[in-house]
Amino acid sequence: MLQVDPKMQPRLLVLRTDLQQRRDRAVTEGWRGEIEGIDLTLRLLEEEIRQTTTVANGPVALGMPALRV
């Protein structure tokens, strides 16, 4: 998995705002397919934003995996 540079977070937030505006227009115009595509992109973008926040706050402890005997 690629790691997102925390320095990219401001740009990602700008992209999110732009996508939300495009989604509003698509709703107004009744463009269902466009709405679905934007919703998918927004979900993926939110994950990227979450990753930049996590990376910026330091490493996340995942714990040790359990051994199967």
Side-chain angles (χ1 to χ4, degrees), residues 1-10 12-13 16 42-60:
M1 178 196 268
L2 296 175
Q3 290 193 359
V4 180
D5 187 349
K7 295 177 197 171
M8 288 299 297
Q9 189 175 28
L12 296 175
L13 296 175
R16 179 174 61 186
L42 277 169
R43 282 195 302 274
L44 296 171
L45 183 61
E46 289 297 335
E47 177 62 24
E48 294 291 322
I49 291 169
R50 189 190 63 74
Q51 286 179 18
T52 63
T53 304
T54 302
V55 171
N57 292 332
V60 176

Side-chain angles (χ1 to χ4, degrees), residues 16-41:
R16 179 174 61 186
T17 300
D18 180 59
L19 281 169
Q20 289 168 337
Q21 291 172 348
R22 287 177 50 199
R23 188 184 189 287
D24 291 343
R25 171 130 191 251
V27 168
T28 301
E29 299 290 338
W31 299 333
R32 289 188 214 157
E34 186 74 10
I35 295 167
E36 291 174 13
I38 292 171
D39 285 345
L40 173 61
T41 305

